[in-house]
Amino acid sequence: MTFPYDIRSNLMMLVDLLNTAGGIAESGDELTTTTGLRDFAARHDFSGPLTATKADVEATRRLRNRFDAAFSMDPDAEAVSSVDPEAEETAARDALERRIVDEVNLTLRETDALPQLVRHDDWDWHLHAAGAEASLADRVAVDVALVLIDLIRSGDLDRLGRCAAPDCRAYLADFSRNRSKRFCDTGNCANRTHVAAFRARRSEAG
């Protein structure tokens, strides 16, 4: 599936947002200051003034933590169990989708989102749900909500995944044709994992 530019960009933005957390970012939490939030917004081409307050920082951290918690919840916590592995996988996927829908709807209510078509800079027509006069935190939040709406409606929520490296918690965006991306882009996880597997096989071989 080919994703429109705005969906790709906003999904990469969401992945970057989730990966700013202290337990993931190599240098520690990257959203503790107004400068950190402005830098984040600047590298993702947010329109409007990139003015950040301490309240914006706190609101964006809450947003990040809420969605991280929703994506990270253990299916066992919702009593998803079945003797049929396929049914269990479907139930877990549905439970995740419901959690994300709840958080998306909450985000839209909190930000008083008002979707409208806009065109600016190098971007052709796409949706905004907050005007340029809205706070930076609200503009980040509604873009997060909009991209998740797109993924949920198209059945592509699993395009937002987690790194398969056992020592990494980072999120990733999977745009591959067969949904085969397993490792994040934040470190050298793919190479490290493959090297470790090769050494383990060689050790077992004697």
Side-chain angles (χ1 to χ4, degrees), residues 48-87:
L50 301 186
T51 303
T53 66
K54 290 183 179 179
D56 288 322
V57 174
E58 293 169 1
T60 305
R61 285 164 58 102
R62 285 195 301 271
L63 176 82
R64 179 191 67 191
N65 295 343
R66 279 211 324 250
F67 279 103
D68 176 55
F71 277 108
S72 300
M73 185 177 293
D74 187 341
D76 290 340
E78 298 189 357
V80 176
S81 61
S82 171
V83 294
D84 182 348
E86 184 175 343

Side-chain angles (χ1 to χ4, degrees), residues 76-103:
D76 290 340
E78 298 189 357
V80 176
S81 61
S82 171
V83 294
D84 182 348
E86 184 175 343
E88 184 172 340
E89 181 179 347
T90 299
R93 185 170 57 249
D94 290 346
L96 169 63
E97 187 174 281
R98 288 194 301 271
R99 292 197 304 271
I100 301 305
V101 166
D102 287 344
E103 296 299 342

Side-chain angles (χ1 to χ4, degrees), residues 39 47 77 80 84 86 93 110 135 157 172 179 184 191 203:
D39 289 346
S47 59
V80 176
D84 182 348
E86 184 175 343
R93 185 170 57 249
E110 288 181 340
S135 70
L157 192 57
L172 60 88
R179 305 173 191 245
C184 69
N191 186 58
S203 177

